[in-house]
């Protein structure tokens, strides 16, 4: 199951983060990812998200967070010396760090996860768009802690328009998307839901932002923009997935 969703995400990893449709795109992606185990594995649990601010605000080091527990969570940190980056002269895998002094590759690609449910997992996609055979690589660090704590989340939720909200997540005011994307995207969607529910009459169907990263394209995102999910689901218009209480989503999130 994870392979099809990795394929679905790959075309968007470098092109859609700054587009207005990216946050709505994530919403239906969460729906598809939640429905797959229900349809294929008889899963009957809730939509999964990680309220990461709870762990960050606890002050505990990452290796003590319950989400990374090897028995009840996703397993721990990568083990140094267990993974070697493949050759990538054209940077297809985006393995060349934009700030190597801050994010040296030997730390970013620290090593294979060797405990928990993903120990000994074999993957064939990544890094980036490379097709390889590899383990799940992980690196615990604290670089994004301040961008993901309760204070940062509160600032984003205080946004007064969708434009302000999406910019806060995607373009660096709080760097929440940059910090949250490597973990679990469900919390990003939950934050959007919380923001919508604070003023549903005005915010539920509000979208904005450029529909392309091409500076020569002036089109703006509207409710009729089509969201594509190659490999994992049919295309949908934003207006058809924007209200989680309706089909095809049919879920709500826990409040703060």
């Amino acid at each position: 199951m994870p392979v099809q969703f990795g394929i679905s995400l790959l075309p968007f990893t470098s092109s859609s983060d700054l587009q207005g449709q990216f946050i709505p795109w994530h919403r239906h992606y969460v729906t598809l990812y939640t429905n797959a185990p229900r349809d294929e594995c008889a899963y009957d649990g809730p939509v999964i998200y990680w309220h990461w601010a709870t762990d960050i605000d606890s002050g505990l080091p990452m290796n003590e967070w319950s989400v990374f527990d090897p028995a009840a969570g996703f397993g721990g940190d990568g083990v140094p010396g267990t993974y070697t980056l493949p050759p990538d002269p054209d940077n297809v895998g985006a393995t060349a760090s934009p700030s190597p002094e801050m994010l040296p590759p030997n730390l970013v690609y620290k090593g294979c996860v060797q405990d928990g449910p993903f120990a000994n997992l074999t993957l064939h996609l990544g890094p980036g768009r490379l097709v390889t055979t590899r383990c799940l690589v992980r690196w615990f660090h604290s670089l994004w802690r301040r961008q993901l704590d309760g204070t940062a989340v509160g600032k984003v939720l205080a946004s007064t328009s969708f434009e302000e909200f999406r910019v806060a997540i995607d373009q660096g005011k709080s760097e929440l998307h940059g910090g949250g994307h490597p973990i679990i995207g469900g919390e990003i969607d939950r934050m959007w839901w919380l923001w919508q529910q604070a003023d549903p009459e005005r915010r539920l169907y509000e979208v904005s932002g450029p529909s392309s990263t091409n500076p020569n394209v002036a089109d703006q995102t509207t409710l009729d923009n089509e969201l594509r999910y190659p490999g994992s689901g049919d295309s949908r218009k934003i207006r058809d997935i924007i209200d989680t209480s309706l089909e095809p989503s049919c879920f709500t999130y826990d409040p703060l």
Side-chain angles (χ1 to χ4, degrees), residues 7-254:
I7 293 172
S8 185
L9 185 60
L10 274 177
F12 304 93
T13 53
S14 60
S15 63
S16 71
D17 287 12
L18 302 181
Q19 296 174 25
Q21 63 264 36
F22 183 69
I23 291 175
W25 183 90
H26 243 135
R27 169 153 294 171
H28 191 54
Y29 185 77
V30 170
T31 298
L32 292 171
Y33 198 90
T34 300
N35 287 343
R38 290 174 175 166
D39 296 338
E40 299 173 19
C41 309
Y43 173 72
D44 61 358
V47 174
I48 298 172
Y49 64 87
W50 173 21
H51 189 197
W52 57 69
T54 300
D55 284 316
I56 293 172
D57 292 345
S58 73
L60 294 172
M62 290 183 71
N63 62 348
E64 295 183 19
W65 295 354
S66 59
V67 70
F68 294 123
D69 184 88
F74 294 99
D77 199 1
V79 177
T82 57
Y83 177 73
T84 301
L85 273 173
D88 188 18
D90 298 322
N91 202 30
V92 174
T95 56
S97 172
S99 303
E101 69 285 350
M102 183 178 179
L103 297 171
N106 65 310
L107 291 182
V108 175
Y109 300 95
K110 181 177 181 179
C112 300
V113 175
Q114 296 192 334
D115 63 4
F118 300 113
N120 303 314
L121 178 67
T122 299
L123 302 170
H124 299 285
L125 290 174
R129 297 168 185 263
L130 290 175
V131 178
T132 61
T133 298
R134 64 179 182 90
C135 63
L136 175 64
V137 177
R138 188 178 287 160
W139 168 43
F140 283 175
H141 64 85
S142 59
L143 294 176
W144 284 313
R145 288 182 77 124
R146 284 187 298 176
Q147 286 85 7
L148 295 167
D149 64 15
T151 299
V153 170
K155 288 180 179 178
V156 172
L157 292 177
S159 301
T160 58
S161 67
F162 180 82
E163 183 67 9
E164 184 180 353
F165 177 84
R166 76 162 192 90
V167 168
I169 288 180
D170 272 346
Q171 293 185 332
K173 276 188 179 178
S174 69
E175 297 181 4
L176 272 165
H177 179 225
H181 199 274
I183 39 181
I184 298 176
E187 178 69 352
I188 294 284
D189 187 57
R190 178 174 176 265
M191 287 175 59
W192 184 31
W193 182 86
L194 289 168
W195 181 83
Q196 289 176 311
Q197 296 305 307
D199 188 358
E201 185 173 341
R202 184 172 66 87
R203 297 180 179 180
L204 185 59
Y205 286 90
E206 183 182 357
V207 293
S208 65
S211 64
S212 172
T213 55
N214 185 339
N216 297 317
V217 177
D219 292 346
Q220 292 292 297
T221 299
T222 71
L223 293 172
D224 289 318
N225 274 83
E226 190 173 78
L227 309 172
R228 295 178 294 112
Y229 303 89
S232 58
D234 296 333
S235 298
R236 299 275 186 167
K237 289 185 177 181
I238 291 177
R239 68 170 66 253
D240 296 329
I241 57 87
I242 202 166
D243 186 347
T244 66
S245 69
L246 304 177
E247 290 278 1
S249 302
C250 294
F251 64 81
T252 59
Y253 287 104
D254 288 335

